[in-house]
mmCIF file of all heavy atoms in Angstrom:
data_model
loop_
_atom_site.group_PDB
_atom_site.id
_atom_site.type_symbol
_atom_site.label_atom_id
_atom_site.label_comp_id
_atom_site.label_asym_id
_atom_site.label_seq_id
_atom_site.Cartn_x
_atom_site.Cartn_y
_atom_site.Cartn_z
ATOM 1 N N SER A 1 6.230 -5.580 -28.526
ATOM 2 C CA SER A 1 6.561 -5.946 -29.902
ATOM 3 C C SER A 1 8.077 -5.945 -30.031
ATOM 4 O O SER A 1 8.796 -5.634 -29.077
ATOM 5 C CB SER A 1 5.939 -4.956 -30.897
ATOM 6 O OG SER A 1 6.644 -3.730 -30.912
ATOM 7 N N ALA A 2 8.557 -6.247 -31.220
ATOM 8 C CA ALA A 2 9.998 -6.203 -31.481
ATOM 9 C C ALA A 2 10.468 -4.794 -31.829
ATOM 10 O O ALA A 2 11.661 -4.598 -32.102
ATOM 11 C CB ALA A 2 10.350 -7.174 -32.611
ATOM 12 N N ASP A 3 9.584 -3.818 -31.823
ATOM 13 C CA ASP A 3 9.927 -2.432 -32.115
ATOM 14 C C ASP A 3 10.618 -1.833 -30.898
ATOM 15 O O ASP A 3 10.018 -1.727 -29.819
ATOM 16 C CB ASP A 3 8.656 -1.651 -32.438
ATOM 17 C CG ASP A 3 8.921 -0.188 -32.756
ATOM 18 O OD1 ASP A 3 10.100 0.244 -32.718
ATOM 19 O OD2 ASP A 3 7.944 0.537 -33.030
ATOM 20 N N PRO A 4 11.872 -1.407 -31.009
ATOM 21 C CA PRO A 4 12.584 -0.850 -29.843
ATOM 22 C C PRO A 4 11.924 0.378 -29.247
ATOM 23 O O PRO A 4 12.138 0.691 -28.076
ATOM 24 C CB PRO A 4 13.967 -0.515 -30.402
ATOM 25 C CG PRO A 4 14.128 -1.374 -31.600
ATOM 26 C CD PRO A 4 12.754 -1.491 -32.187
ATOM 27 N N SER A 5 11.119 1.091 -30.043
ATOM 28 C CA SER A 5 10.483 2.308 -29.526
ATOM 29 C C SER A 5 9.229 2.007 -28.710
ATOM 30 O O SER A 5 8.692 2.900 -28.045
ATOM 31 C CB SER A 5 10.133 3.256 -30.675
ATOM 32 O OG SER A 5 9.136 2.688 -31.515
ATOM 33 N N ALA A 6 8.754 0.784 -28.743
ATOM 34 C CA ALA A 6 7.538 0.430 -28.011
ATOM 35 C C ALA A 6 7.842 0.272 -26.525
ATOM 36 O O ALA A 6 8.841 -0.336 -26.138
ATOM 37 C CB ALA A 6 6.941 -0.856 -28.572
ATOM 38 N N MET A 7 6.979 0.821 -25.694
ATOM 39 C CA MET A 7 7.132 0.648 -24.252
ATOM 40 C C MET A 7 6.854 -0.804 -23.891
ATOM 41 O O MET A 7 6.020 -1.464 -24.523
ATOM 42 C CB MET A 7 6.166 1.564 -23.505
ATOM 43 C CG MET A 7 6.390 3.040 -23.760
ATOM 44 S SD MET A 7 7.785 3.718 -22.832
ATOM 45 C CE MET A 7 6.976 4.118 -21.290
ATOM 46 N N PRO A 8 7.529 -1.338 -22.886
ATOM 47 C CA PRO A 8 7.263 -2.723 -22.484
ATOM 48 C C PRO A 8 5.898 -2.856 -21.810
ATOM 49 O O PRO A 8 5.315 -1.869 -21.344
ATOM 50 C CB PRO A 8 8.396 -3.015 -21.505
ATOM 51 C CG PRO A 8 8.765 -1.686 -20.942
ATOM 52 C CD PRO A 8 8.578 -0.706 -22.062
ATOM 53 N N LEU A 9 5.409 -4.074 -21.764
ATOM 54 C CA LEU A 9 4.178 -4.375 -21.048
ATOM 55 C C LEU A 9 4.545 -4.699 -19.598
ATOM 56 O O LEU A 9 5.308 -5.631 -19.344
ATOM 57 C CB LEU A 9 3.455 -5.560 -21.687
ATOM 58 C CG LEU A 9 3.074 -5.405 -23.161
ATOM 59 C CD1 LEU A 9 2.426 -6.684 -23.680
ATOM 60 C CD2 LEU A 9 2.140 -4.215 -23.363
ATOM 61 N N VAL A 10 3.999 -3.933 -18.672
ATOM 62 C CA VAL A 10 4.389 -4.058 -17.269
ATOM 63 C C VAL A 10 3.175 -4.454 -16.430
ATOM 64 O O VAL A 10 2.125 -3.802 -16.494
ATOM 65 C CB VAL A 10 4.972 -2.737 -16.733
ATOM 66 C CG1 VAL A 10 5.399 -2.885 -15.282
ATOM 67 C CG2 VAL A 10 6.152 -2.278 -17.591
ATOM 68 N N SER A 11 3.333 -5.511 -15.668
ATOM 69 C CA SER A 11 2.282 -5.963 -14.761
ATOM 70 C C SER A 11 2.905 -6.153 -13.370
ATOM 71 O O SER A 11 3.445 -7.220 -13.065
ATOM 72 C CB SER A 11 1.658 -7.271 -15.250
ATOM 73 O OG SER A 11 0.608 -7.677 -14.397
ATOM 74 N N PRO A 12 2.837 -5.150 -12.495
ATOM 75 C CA PRO A 12 3.521 -5.247 -11.204
ATOM 76 C C PRO A 12 2.787 -6.082 -10.162
ATOM 77 O O PRO A 12 3.386 -6.517 -9.187
ATOM 78 C CB PRO A 12 3.627 -3.789 -10.753
ATOM 79 C CG PRO A 12 2.473 -3.117 -11.411
ATOM 80 C CD PRO A 12 2.282 -3.811 -12.731
ATOM 81 N N ASN A 13 1.471 -6.269 -10.339
ATOM 82 C CA ASN A 13 0.680 -7.093 -9.409
ATOM 83 C C ASN A 13 0.768 -6.609 -7.959
ATOM 84 O O ASN A 13 0.821 -7.416 -7.024
ATOM 85 C CB ASN A 13 1.104 -8.561 -9.494
ATOM 86 C CG ASN A 13 0.674 -9.216 -10.789
ATOM 87 O OD1 ASN A 13 -0.316 -8.802 -11.394
ATOM 88 N ND2 ASN A 13 1.400 -10.216 -11.232
ATOM 89 N N LEU A 14 0.744 -5.300 -7.760
ATOM 90 C CA LEU A 14 0.815 -4.760 -6.408
ATOM 91 C C LEU A 14 -0.355 -5.269 -5.566
ATOM 92 O O LEU A 14 -1.511 -5.229 -5.998
ATOM 93 C CB LEU A 14 0.787 -3.230 -6.441
ATOM 94 C CG LEU A 14 1.917 -2.530 -7.188
ATOM 95 C CD1 LEU A 14 1.726 -1.015 -7.127
ATOM 96 C CD2 LEU A 14 3.281 -2.914 -6.621
ATOM 97 N N LEU A 15 -0.046 -5.779 -4.380
ATOM 98 C CA LEU A 15 -1.019 -6.296 -3.420
ATOM 99 C C LEU A 15 -1.774 -7.527 -3.921
ATOM 100 O O LEU A 15 -2.816 -7.884 -3.354
ATOM 101 C CB LEU A 15 -2.031 -5.212 -3.002
ATOM 102 C CG LEU A 15 -1.481 -3.985 -2.269
ATOM 103 C CD1 LEU A 15 -2.626 -3.048 -1.877
ATOM 104 C CD2 LEU A 15 -0.686 -4.384 -1.036
ATOM 105 N N LYS A 16 -1.272 -8.202 -4.925
ATOM 106 C CA LYS A 16 -1.971 -9.394 -5.410
ATOM 107 C C LYS A 16 -1.879 -10.541 -4.408
ATOM 108 O O LYS A 16 -2.834 -11.283 -4.206
ATOM 109 C CB LYS A 16 -1.402 -9.827 -6.755
ATOM 110 C CG LYS A 16 -2.179 -10.996 -7.373
ATOM 111 C CD LYS A 16 -1.720 -11.299 -8.784
ATOM 112 C CE LYS A 16 -2.571 -12.395 -9.409
ATOM 113 N NZ LYS A 16 -2.136 -12.691 -10.796
ATOM 114 N N ALA A 17 -0.725 -10.702 -3.762
ATOM 115 C CA ALA A 17 -0.573 -11.761 -2.762
ATOM 116 C C ALA A 17 -1.440 -11.427 -1.549
ATOM 117 O O ALA A 17 -1.384 -10.307 -1.030
ATOM 118 C CB ALA A 17 0.885 -11.909 -2.351
ATOM 119 N N PRO A 18 -2.237 -12.381 -1.059
ATOM 120 C CA PRO A 18 -3.091 -12.106 0.107
ATOM 121 C C PRO A 18 -2.306 -11.613 1.319
ATOM 122 O O PRO A 18 -2.801 -10.774 2.087
ATOM 123 C CB PRO A 18 -3.750 -13.460 0.381
ATOM 124 C CG PRO A 18 -3.705 -14.194 -0.922
ATOM 125 C CD PRO A 18 -2.439 -13.738 -1.588
ATOM 126 N N GLU A 19 -1.070 -12.099 1.488
ATOM 127 C CA GLU A 19 -0.262 -11.660 2.623
ATOM 128 C C GLU A 19 0.034 -10.161 2.555
ATOM 129 O O GLU A 19 0.084 -9.474 3.581
ATOM 130 C CB GLU A 19 1.059 -12.430 2.674
ATOM 131 C CG GLU A 19 0.914 -13.934 2.743
ATOM 132 C CD GLU A 19 1.040 -14.572 1.369
ATOM 133 O OE1 GLU A 19 0.442 -14.044 0.403
ATOM 134 O OE2 GLU A 19 1.736 -15.605 1.274
ATOM 135 N N ASP A 20 0.258 -9.653 1.332
ATOM 136 C CA ASP A 20 0.549 -8.227 1.178
ATOM 137 C C ASP A 20 -0.671 -7.374 1.515
ATOM 138 O O ASP A 20 -0.562 -6.331 2.184
ATOM 139 C CB ASP A 20 1.013 -7.922 -0.247
ATOM 140 C CG ASP A 20 2.339 -8.561 -0.587
ATOM 141 O OD1 ASP A 20 2.998 -9.089 0.329
ATOM 142 O OD2 ASP A 20 2.715 -8.546 -1.778
ATOM 143 N N MET A 21 -1.843 -7.799 1.036
ATOM 144 C CA MET A 21 -3.062 -7.051 1.338
ATOM 145 C C MET A 21 -3.332 -7.043 2.838
ATOM 146 O O MET A 21 -3.667 -5.994 3.420
ATOM 147 C CB MET A 21 -4.249 -7.645 0.593
ATOM 148 C CG MET A 21 -5.575 -6.929 0.851
ATOM 149 S SD MET A 21 -5.597 -5.198 0.322
ATOM 150 C CE MET A 21 -5.906 -5.416 -1.443
ATOM 151 N N ALA A 22 -3.160 -8.191 3.485
ATOM 152 C CA ALA A 22 -3.387 -8.258 4.928
ATOM 153 C C ALA A 22 -2.409 -7.348 5.666
ATOM 154 O O ALA A 22 -2.790 -6.648 6.627
ATOM 155 C CB ALA A 22 -3.254 -9.702 5.405
ATOM 156 N N GLU A 23 -1.150 -7.327 5.229
ATOM 157 C CA GLU A 23 -0.149 -6.476 5.872
ATOM 158 C C GLU A 23 -0.478 -5.009 5.664
ATOM 159 O O GLU A 23 -0.339 -4.184 6.595
ATOM 160 C CB GLU A 23 1.235 -6.800 5.314
ATOM 161 C CG GLU A 23 2.379 -6.442 6.221
ATOM 162 C CD GLU A 23 2.367 -7.236 7.513
ATOM 163 O OE1 GLU A 23 2.630 -8.449 7.468
ATOM 164 O OE2 GLU A 23 2.083 -6.619 8.566
ATOM 165 N N MET A 24 -0.920 -4.657 4.472
ATOM 166 C CA MET A 24 -1.258 -3.262 4.189
ATOM 167 C C MET A 24 -2.430 -2.801 5.047
ATOM 168 O O MET A 24 -2.432 -1.678 5.578
ATOM 169 C CB MET A 24 -1.584 -3.082 2.717
ATOM 170 C CG MET A 24 -1.871 -1.636 2.318
ATOM 171 S SD MET A 24 -0.423 -0.551 2.489
ATOM 172 C CE MET A 24 0.442 -0.937 0.958
ATOM 173 N N ILE A 25 -3.441 -3.641 5.198
ATOM 174 C CA ILE A 25 -4.586 -3.269 6.021
ATOM 175 C C ILE A 25 -4.152 -3.054 7.467
ATOM 176 O O ILE A 25 -4.580 -2.106 8.129
ATOM 177 C CB ILE A 25 -5.688 -4.347 5.913
ATOM 178 C CG1 ILE A 25 -6.333 -4.294 4.511
ATOM 179 C CG2 ILE A 25 -6.755 -4.150 6.989
ATOM 180 C CD1 ILE A 25 -7.316 -5.413 4.247
ATOM 181 N N ARG A 26 -3.262 -3.904 7.966
ATOM 182 C CA ARG A 26 -2.747 -3.700 9.322
ATOM 183 C C ARG A 26 -1.996 -2.380 9.435
ATOM 184 O O ARG A 26 -2.096 -1.667 10.441
ATOM 185 C CB ARG A 26 -1.851 -4.878 9.721
ATOM 186 C CG ARG A 26 -2.623 -6.148 10.041
ATOM 187 C CD ARG A 26 -1.733 -7.192 10.676
ATOM 188 N NE ARG A 26 -0.852 -7.846 9.718
ATOM 189 C CZ ARG A 26 -1.138 -8.983 9.080
ATOM 190 N NH1 ARG A 26 -2.295 -9.593 9.280
ATOM 191 N NH2 ARG A 26 -0.269 -9.514 8.238
ATOM 192 N N GLY A 27 -1.226 -2.052 8.410
ATOM 193 C CA GLY A 27 -0.504 -0.779 8.421
ATOM 194 C C GLY A 27 -1.445 0.407 8.383
ATOM 195 O O GLY A 27 -1.224 1.415 9.081
ATOM 196 N N GLN A 28 -2.501 0.317 7.591
ATOM 197 C CA GLN A 28 -3.480 1.393 7.540
ATOM 198 C C GLN A 28 -4.138 1.596 8.914
ATOM 199 O O GLN A 28 -4.275 2.732 9.380
ATOM 200 C CB GLN A 28 -4.537 1.065 6.484
ATOM 201 C CG GLN A 28 -4.039 1.161 5.046
ATOM 202 C CD GLN A 28 -4.208 2.536 4.464
ATOM 203 O OE1 GLN A 28 -5.314 3.048 4.340
ATOM 204 N NE2 GLN A 28 -3.099 3.165 4.098
ATOM 205 N N ARG A 29 -4.533 0.510 9.540
ATOM 206 C CA ARG A 29 -5.181 0.623 10.849
ATOM 207 C C ARG A 29 -4.234 1.265 11.874
ATOM 208 O O ARG A 29 -4.646 2.111 12.675
ATOM 209 C CB ARG A 29 -5.609 -0.756 11.349
ATOM 210 C CG ARG A 29 -6.798 -1.348 10.605
ATOM 211 C CD ARG A 29 -7.325 -2.577 11.342
ATOM 212 N NE ARG A 29 -8.354 -3.250 10.588
ATOM 213 C CZ ARG A 29 -9.611 -2.839 10.480
ATOM 214 N NH1 ARG A 29 -9.977 -1.729 11.109
ATOM 215 N NH2 ARG A 29 -10.484 -3.511 9.775
ATOM 216 N N TYR A 30 -2.977 0.879 11.823
ATOM 217 C CA TYR A 30 -2.008 1.411 12.793
ATOM 218 C C TYR A 30 -1.880 2.919 12.655
ATOM 219 O O TYR A 30 -1.954 3.664 13.643
ATOM 220 C CB TYR A 30 -0.649 0.740 12.604
ATOM 221 C CG TYR A 30 0.371 1.148 13.639
ATOM 222 C CD1 TYR A 30 0.520 0.427 14.818
ATOM 223 C CD2 TYR A 30 1.181 2.267 13.443
ATOM 224 C CE1 TYR A 30 1.443 0.815 15.790
ATOM 225 C CE2 TYR A 30 2.105 2.664 14.398
ATOM 226 C CZ TYR A 30 2.238 1.932 15.560
ATOM 227 O OH TYR A 30 3.143 2.330 16.508
ATOM 228 N N PHE A 31 -1.703 3.407 11.431
ATOM 229 C CA PHE A 31 -1.443 4.836 11.274
ATOM 230 C C PHE A 31 -2.720 5.664 11.282
ATOM 231 O O PHE A 31 -2.661 6.876 11.527
ATOM 232 C CB PHE A 31 -0.584 5.079 10.036
ATOM 233 C CG PHE A 31 0.846 4.704 10.276
ATOM 234 C CD1 PHE A 31 1.350 3.492 9.831
ATOM 235 C CD2 PHE A 31 1.681 5.527 11.011
ATOM 236 C CE1 PHE A 31 2.656 3.128 10.087
ATOM 237 C CE2 PHE A 31 2.984 5.171 11.283
ATOM 238 C CZ PHE A 31 3.482 3.966 10.824
ATOM 239 N N LEU A 32 -3.882 5.037 11.071
ATOM 240 C CA LEU A 32 -5.125 5.759 11.318
ATOM 241 C C LEU A 32 -5.226 6.138 12.796
ATOM 242 O O LEU A 32 -5.771 7.201 13.141
ATOM 243 C CB LEU A 32 -6.329 4.901 10.911
ATOM 244 C CG LEU A 32 -6.703 4.940 9.425
ATOM 245 C CD1 LEU A 32 -7.694 3.823 9.099
ATOM 246 C CD2 LEU A 32 -7.269 6.301 9.044
ATOM 247 N N ARG A 33 -4.675 5.298 13.648
ATOM 248 C CA ARG A 33 -4.667 5.620 15.074
ATOM 249 C C ARG A 33 -3.832 6.872 15.354
ATOM 250 O O ARG A 33 -4.139 7.644 16.278
ATOM 251 C CB ARG A 33 -4.128 4.434 15.873
ATOM 252 C CG ARG A 33 -5.038 3.228 15.915
ATOM 253 C CD ARG A 33 -4.300 2.021 16.481
ATOM 254 N NE ARG A 33 -3.727 2.313 17.799
ATOM 255 C CZ ARG A 33 -2.693 1.642 18.321
ATOM 256 N NH1 ARG A 33 -2.118 0.659 17.625
ATOM 257 N NH2 ARG A 33 -2.235 1.957 19.513
ATOM 258 N N ALA A 34 -2.792 7.085 14.558
ATOM 259 C CA ALA A 34 -1.943 8.267 14.766
ATOM 260 C C ALA A 34 -2.713 9.562 14.503
ATOM 261 O O ALA A 34 -2.473 10.579 15.162
ATOM 262 C CB ALA A 34 -0.709 8.180 13.872
ATOM 263 N N PHE A 35 -3.645 9.526 13.547
ATOM 264 C CA PHE A 35 -4.422 10.726 13.245
ATOM 265 C C PHE A 35 -5.334 11.098 14.417
ATOM 266 O O PHE A 35 -5.746 12.250 14.548
ATOM 267 C CB PHE A 35 -5.254 10.505 11.982
ATOM 268 C CG PHE A 35 -4.477 10.631 10.702
ATOM 269 C CD1 PHE A 35 -3.524 9.691 10.344
ATOM 270 C CD2 PHE A 35 -4.693 11.703 9.859
ATOM 271 C CE1 PHE A 35 -2.810 9.803 9.169
ATOM 272 C CE2 PHE A 35 -3.986 11.830 8.675
ATOM 273 C CZ PHE A 35 -3.033 10.881 8.329
ATOM 274 N N ALA A 36 -5.666 10.114 15.251
ATOM 275 C CA ALA A 36 -6.530 10.354 16.413
ATOM 276 C C ALA A 36 -5.734 10.520 17.702
ATOM 277 O O ALA A 36 -6.320 10.619 18.782
ATOM 278 C CB ALA A 36 -7.519 9.194 16.562
ATOM 279 N N GLN A 37 -4.405 10.574 17.575
ATOM 280 C CA GLN A 37 -3.528 10.642 18.749
ATOM 281 C C GLN A 37 -3.010 12.074 18.923
ATOM 282 O O GLN A 37 -2.540 12.712 17.983
ATOM 283 C CB GLN A 37 -2.345 9.685 18.565
ATOM 284 C CG GLN A 37 -1.296 9.739 19.644
ATOM 285 C CD GLN A 37 -1.773 9.146 20.958
ATOM 286 O OE1 GLN A 37 -2.489 8.155 20.957
ATOM 287 N NE2 GLN A 37 -1.368 9.730 22.062
ATOM 288 N N SER A 38 -3.089 12.575 20.138
ATOM 289 C CA SER A 38 -2.526 13.896 20.440
ATOM 290 C C SER A 38 -0.993 13.832 20.305
ATOM 291 O O SER A 38 -0.389 12.795 20.572
ATOM 292 C CB SER A 38 -2.916 14.288 21.869
ATOM 293 O OG SER A 38 -2.491 15.582 22.173
ATOM 294 N N PRO A 39 -0.360 14.894 19.846
ATOM 295 C CA PRO A 39 -0.874 16.226 19.540
ATOM 296 C C PRO A 39 -1.326 16.424 18.091
ATOM 297 O O PRO A 39 -1.726 17.532 17.727
ATOM 298 C CB PRO A 39 0.320 17.125 19.843
ATOM 299 C CG PRO A 39 1.496 16.288 19.446
ATOM 300 C CD PRO A 39 1.138 14.869 19.819
ATOM 301 N N LEU A 40 -1.278 15.371 17.263
ATOM 302 C CA LEU A 40 -1.699 15.522 15.868
ATOM 303 C C LEU A 40 -3.213 15.671 15.764
ATOM 304 O O LEU A 40 -3.713 16.432 14.926
ATOM 305 C CB LEU A 40 -1.231 14.324 15.045
ATOM 306 C CG LEU A 40 -1.556 14.344 13.541
ATOM 307 C CD1 LEU A 40 -0.941 15.566 12.865
ATOM 308 C CD2 LEU A 40 -1.055 13.064 12.871
ATOM 309 N N ALA A 41 -3.942 14.964 16.614
ATOM 310 C CA ALA A 41 -5.405 14.952 16.517
ATOM 311 C C ALA A 41 -5.994 16.354 16.562
ATOM 312 O O ALA A 41 -7.011 16.634 15.899
ATOM 313 C CB ALA A 41 -5.985 14.094 17.634
ATOM 314 N N GLU A 42 -5.375 17.256 17.311
ATOM 315 C CA GLU A 42 -5.909 18.608 17.441
ATOM 316 C C GLU A 42 -5.822 19.418 16.147
ATOM 317 O O GLU A 42 -6.473 20.462 16.017
ATOM 318 C CB GLU A 42 -5.169 19.355 18.564
ATOM 319 C CG GLU A 42 -5.516 18.872 19.961
ATOM 320 C CD GLU A 42 -4.809 17.582 20.342
ATOM 321 O OE1 GLU A 42 -3.933 17.112 19.561
ATOM 322 O OE2 GLU A 42 -5.116 17.025 21.409
#
């Protein structure tokens, strides 16, 4: 609104682009491997 005290409307669209979602899934898979890698796995 035109009221200065009103918070703005924010739409960040995180992961909306298909390329971002695909990249995030690749990143998740990579670091899931770290949890199964010694010496962290123990």
Side-chain angles (χ1 to χ4, degrees):
S1 75
D3 180 359
S5 66
M7 298 282 274
L9 302 177
V10 181
S11 182
N13 289 333
L14 299 180
L15 297 183
K16 185 173 184 180
E19 303 97 316
D20 294 350
M21 180 62 81
E23 204 64 70
M24 183 65 81
I25 289 173
R26 286 191 284 267
Q28 289 271 299
R29 288 191 187 283
Y30 185 91
F31 284 100
L32 276 167
R33 290 168 55 203
F35 281 69
Q37 175 71 38
S38 185
L40 182 59
E42 288 79 7

